[in-house]
Amino acid sequence: MTELKAKTAVKAPKRADPAESSIDVATREMVARAQRLEVETVFDRAVTMKPCAIGMQGICCKNCAMGPCRLPFPKGGFDGEDTRKGLCGATANTICARNFTRMIAAGAAAHSDHGRGVAETFLSVARKETDDYTIKDPDKLLAIAPYFGVETTVDVDGEVQDRTLDEIALEVAESAFSEWGKAEGSVKYIKRAPKELQEKWEKWGVVPRNIDREIVEIMHRTHMGVDQDYKNLMKQGVRASLADGWGGSMIATDLQDVMFGAPSPLQAEANLGVMKEDHVNIVVHGHEPLLSEMIVAAAQSQEMLAKAKEVGAKGIQLSGICCTANEMLQRHGIPPAGNFLQQELAIITGACDSMIVDVQCIFQNLANVAKCFHTKLITTHPIARMEQENVLHIEFDEHHAMEDAVKIVEMSIENFRNRGAEVMIPRHKSSQIAGFGVESIKYHLGGAFRGDYYTLNDNIINGRIRGLAGIVGCNNARSKHNEEHIEIIKELIKNDVLVLATGCSAIAAGTHGLMTPEAAAVHCGPGLAEVCETVGIPPVLHLGSCVDNSRILLAATEVVKAGGLGNDLADLPAAGSAPEWMSEKAISIGQYFVASGVYTVFGYHMPLDGAPVFRDYLYKEMEKMYGGMWDCEPDPIKHAHKMIAHIDKKRKELGIDKARERVLMDMADRQALGME
Ligand code: BF8
């Protein structure tokens, strides 16, 4: 008996099956290597820890100390009335809506606090308090100034003269920074949306006043005993999400472009195979380009290169994880080493000399993994530190940013000497073209002479392009890494839907070879393939990081402006998707897509099943208000076809469904019509 107990006690822990962990071979290889080295990863934890069944349904209320109150939905449903309530009487709808709007608040806060940091740094630039950051893209500054009410010219004695860049920058910076906490008015960028959409927001009372206020108000309204009407709670959820998408995130994108340059297409590689055994490998992970831009500049200097050679390395290989990867990729062609679920694996190569992190999507387990290797894990942001003692903290400050960056790069170089013998970098990597933005798409479609979205609209109207899809968001350890992203994207482009991707979804598409113009001939339907070949674009356009979902909103607005496809985003043959979402930021993004008129499908599951009435409100009723609605479909092929069905519905409403039928006629159809 004692012997039996002892045997049970030493039973090996359950491990993930590497082949089932991902569709990416590099990831599988690294998961297997981690297991050989007995280093635990998220993939293993996902098979040993089940998600909480009550939380999955979205109906656990822990907003006061009389709870947590749990209101599970009975398997067979209710015979009569749904009488579930918490101690205070809160219904399942109220609890579920409170939880959902709190997710929006957290997501909007994360994006918008990132935006605030960018605006603060830009204010320092405009006030000439820093030399490390400058204005790299004056055209972008001039383009956004009018939205902040800043004049770019001045009338001097009846003559119109240009104002100086310094004057414009200062006024834009002050105006942008005040968007977080101004006492009156509404978020200024809301005016960039199509007129009809603005009218809808006014009608439903969801125009955000300032960015912080909408987030704070959610926390108030979801406090015990305040808002107890799921529709009213969601009104505030919508308002805060708009403050994110058309506020904090959009300002972050724009001011980052002003300081670091608007992206334009460039070639790069993707996946863990971009790391190099004979180089110092610095992996930057997180979100804010304020950090990564400085690391890029420091690591590319001749001085640092010489130092790397002194320690026996051939050079410095920078790479990124998560949205920092997207930021460095779109402006410098620095390759992503991986997306969210690959962060531990970059260290498991044994070749990662330092991993530098700032905010968001950073596993605390990185510290435990780093302990097993020589990797220095460096936190840099005052709001994001780790408790483990092997983690270094070097605080990054915009006033001495380059100095901090040099220190971090030097430390990484020095750590190259401490490499163990056990390096194993997977050989897998892909080529990609990234760096698309609202401006560069315009240029691509018509060149400097006639750059505009007309070409895109023409091809949508004539049916070569069936519609547009925004595919965004994370990985989730509860689904096979990258599988949903890739299957959905492939199904869409096969059906002539042009895909705009951001975040970890964009990294997945790059990793799996879908971001080259050549991919069009292999994976696309005939119409989209023809357009990609003619224009020279990939069928999946990389539009940047998660805050850059604002680029998708603005690209869609340009399509409306170019004409022929309705007057509102809701009129467009377009749909959104987050196939492997996991973060609260994804919920905020989903909600501002929906409130901007986009049919938005999430994969995996939504924490709504415990409150079907509230769920139906999001999935069905919202469309009547904003033109967009939520949906959830874990099966990737069905997921893609739900999006395609919506696109076709919109084509029909626009009266352009017949054009597409003509374009897709095959030889037999043509012969039947006597055309061949
Ligand atoms: O910022 S990094 S895991 S949350 S998608 Fe998702 Fe990826 Fe995080 Fe959006 Ni970007």
Side-chain angles (χ1 to χ4, degrees):
M1 187 68 183
T2 330
E3 206 179 300
L4 187 68
K5 264 192 185 164
K7 271 190 187 159
T8 318
V10 294
K11 201 174 146 200
K14 237 172 139 187
R15 293 280 184 233
D17 174 357
E20 284 306 307
S21 59
S22 175
I23 57 166
D24 167 46
V25 182
T27 299
R28 290 179 186 175
E29 286 178 5
M30 283 298 104
V31 172
R33 170 172 156 89
Q35 292 175 350
R36 281 198 301 277
L37 298 173
E38 296 190 350
V39 180
E40 189 197 73
T41 66
V42 63
F43 297 96
D44 299 321
R45 289 188 295 280
V47 295
T48 52
M49 184 190 280
K50 284 210 167 98
C52 162
I54 307 277
M56 287 277 281
Q57 290 190 26
I59 32 73
C60 171
C61 183
K62 54 182 179 56
N63 295 10
C64 89
M66 296 193 292
C69 295
R70 308 186 310 167
L71 275 57
F73 189 79
K75 273 204 181 112
F78 288 100
D79 261 348
E81 206 187 328
D82 178 357
T83 54
R84 290 173 297 161
K85 43 179 102 60
L87 259 63
C88 70
T91 63
N93 290 329
T94 300
I95 291 172
C96 201
R98 277 181 184 157
N99 290 337
F100 196 75
T101 48
R102 279 198 172 194
M103 289 177 90
I104 294 174
H111 286 146
S112 297
D113 217 27
H114 166 168
R116 184 204 316 273
V118 176
E120 219 167 1
T121 302
F122 185 59
L123 192 56
S124 300
V125 172
R127 288 179 177 161
K128 310 231 176 272
E129 292 167 359
T130 172
D131 295 328
D132 293 341
Y133 300 95
T134 53
I135 295 171
K136 284 216 182 109
D137 195 337
D139 289 342
K140 183 97 187 197
L141 177 63
L142 296 178
I144 63 170
Y147 299 111
F148 289 107
V150 176
E151 303 281 353
T152 55
T153 55
V154 63
D155 196 321
V156 180
D157 300 330
E159 192 190 330
V160 177
Q161 292 181 2
D162 288 338
R163 296 182 72 201
T164 69
L165 218 50
D166 284 352
E167 283 172 352
I168 297 168
L170 189 58
E171 283 180 27
V172 167
E174 283 169 350
S175 176
F177 195 53
S178 74
E179 288 295 272
W180 273 263
K182 63 189 177 189
E184 289 177 330
S186 50
V187 168
K188 288 184 171 145
Y189 269 7
I190 286 292
K191 298 274 179 231
R192 300 179 77 170
K195 196 98 189 79
E196 278 196 13
L197 185 52
Q198 290 181 46
E199 284 163 10
K200 278 183 196 156
W201 293 335
E202 269 157 32
K203 176 179 168 195
W204 295 109
V206 294
V207 174
R209 293 153 290 186
N210 70 51
I211 298 164
D212 284 349
R213 180 170 180 177
E214 307 311 350
I215 295 163
V216 168
E217 194 172 303
I218 286 186
M219 298 314 285
H220 180 189
R221 283 161 81 149
T222 57
H223 182 276
M224 193 272 147
V226 187
D227 204 347
Q228 297 161 32
D229 170 4
Y230 64 91
K231 292 183 185 171
N232 206 42
L233 278 159
M234 273 316 295
K235 183 173 162 185
Q236 186 57 20
V238 166
R239 211 174 200 186
S241 75
L242 293 175
D244 173 2
W246 294 86
S249 283
M250 200 172 274
I251 298 174
T253 297
D254 279 351
L255 296 182
Q256 285 169 181
D257 282 357
V258 170
M259 287 191 283
F260 311 130
S264 58
L266 36 71
Q267 185 157 19
E269 294 179 322
N271 210 352
L272 291 161
V274 304
M275 295 172 74
K276 292 188 183 136
E277 185 161 0
D278 52 10
H279 281 53
V280 174
N281 285 292
I282 302 178
V283 181
V284 195
H285 170 23
H287 281 77
E288 298 184 355
L290 297 174
L291 167 72
S292 54
E293 283 289 319
M294 290 299 115
I295 301 284
V296 170
Q300 289 179 344
S301 73
Q302 286 306 316
E303 193 193 343
M304 290 300 128
L305 197 58
K307 286 201 173 177
K309 291 196 170 149
E310 272 168 34
V311 299
K314 285 197 175 142
I316 301 173
Q317 178 62 50
L318 260 185
S319 59
I321 299 276
C322 279
C323 278
T324 285
N326 291 319
E327 300 286 3
M328 297 196 297
L329 169 68
Q330 68 182 341
R331 296 195 180 87
H332 302 284
I334 306 283
N339 53 8
F340 180 65
L341 283 182
Q342 292 173 291
Q343 54 185 286
E344 293 163 313
L345 309 181
I347 299 179
I348 286 161
T349 60
C352 177
D353 299 302
S354 69
M355 184 173 279
I356 304 156
V357 303
D358 57 10
V359 289
Q360 300 168 25
C361 304
I362 295 146
F363 287 171
Q364 187 165 358
N365 196 55
L366 286 179
N368 304 327
V369 177
K371 226 181 260 177
C372 306
F373 297 87
H374 76 299
T375 306
K376 283 206 188 303
L377 180 61
I378 305 171
T379 54
T380 56
H381 206 291
I383 69 162
R385 298 187 67 157
M386 287 185 183
E387 68 186 31
Q388 288 99 323
E389 70 224 1
N390 61 319
V391 181
L392 292 166
H393 184 75
I394 300 178
E395 205 147 302
F396 200 76
D397 183 303
E398 77 260 26
H399 298 288
H400 40 80
M402 187 45 91
E403 206 182 308
D404 297 333
V406 167
K407 192 163 146 194
I408 291 168
V409 172
E410 278 178 338
M411 199 174 268
S412 314
I413 293 171
E414 204 44 49
N415 201 32
F416 180 82
R417 296 184 202 269
N418 300 324
R419 283 258 186 105
E422 77 290 8
V423 167
M424 181 189 145
I425 301 173
R427 279 181 299 142
H428 314 280
K429 57 182 174 180
S430 306
S431 288
Q432 63 175 334
I433 306 289
F436 288 90
V438 179
E439 301 83 355
S440 58
I441 292 177
K442 196 179 257 189
Y443 173 76
H444 241 281
L445 291 171
F449 173 63
R450 191 184 169 264
D452 216 312
Y453 279 67
Y454 298 127
T455 321
L456 178 60
N457 286 29
D458 285 351
N459 281 298
I460 294 174
I461 292 165
N462 68 28
R464 282 191 189 88
I465 296 176
R466 189 174 196 153
L468 305 171
I471 313 286
V472 310
C474 329
N475 297 128
N476 187 318
R478 303 289 176 194
S479 356
K480 196 173 192 174
H481 170 245
N482 285 354
E483 184 173 59
E484 275 77 9
H485 287 301
I486 299 308
E487 286 205 14
I488 290 168
I489 293 175
K490 280 189 177 166
E491 193 62 21
L492 289 169
I493 60 179
K494 188 172 106 188
N495 285 281
D496 294 313
V497 176
L498 177 67
V499 171
L500 313 178
T502 61
C504 288
S505 188
I507 299 176
T511 299
H512 293 274
L514 299 177
M515 284 185 168
T516 61
E518 297 74 34
V522 183
H523 297 287
C524 293
L528 181 59
E530 193 183 331
V531 174
C532 289
E533 196 193 343
T534 312
V535 183
I537 54 168
V540 185
L541 302 181
H542 192 306
L543 260 78
S545 67
C546 278
V547 293
D548 296 333
N549 283 317
S550 59
R551 297 191 203 277
I552 297 184
L553 295 177
L554 292 176
T557 303
E558 289 293 331
V559 173
V560 171
K561 275 198 222 156
L565 292 171
N567 301 317
D568 192 352
L569 302 191
D571 298 333
L572 298 177
S577 155
E580 300 176 26
W581 79 278
M582 64 86 206
S583 89
E584 290 161 315
K585 289 181 287 174
I587 294 291
S588 180
I589 294 165
Q591 188 55 66
Y592 71 66
F593 266 38
V594 167
S596 300
V598 183
Y599 170 59
T600 304
V601 192
F602 271 37
Y604 180 44
H605 96 293
M606 291 288 281
L608 302 170
D609 292 343
V613 175
F614 174 60
R615 185 187 56 204
D616 283 355
Y617 180 66
L618 299 183
Y619 287 12
K620 295 177 186 152
E621 295 301 307
M622 273 205 167
E623 189 180 21
K624 295 174 195 152
M625 302 167 76
Y626 306 107
M629 72 284 203
W630 286 89
D631 204 348
C632 178
E633 178 53 65
D635 179 278
I637 301 300
K638 285 188 194 155
H639 186 118
H641 280 280
K642 279 185 158 189
M643 297 169 74
I644 293 167
H646 179 80
I647 285 169
D648 286 350
K649 183 177 102 179
K650 292 293 165 184
R651 292 189 68 85
K652 195 163 186 195
E653 284 170 15
L654 288 164
I656 55 171
D657 49 329
K658 295 286 177 287
R660 183 171 163 73
E661 281 166 23
R662 275 200 304 278
V663 167
L664 291 187
M665 280 192 301
D666 62 14
M667 186 70 83
D669 296 329
R670 285 161 192 260
Q671 281 167 346
L673 288 172
M675 290 167 70
E676 297 289 335

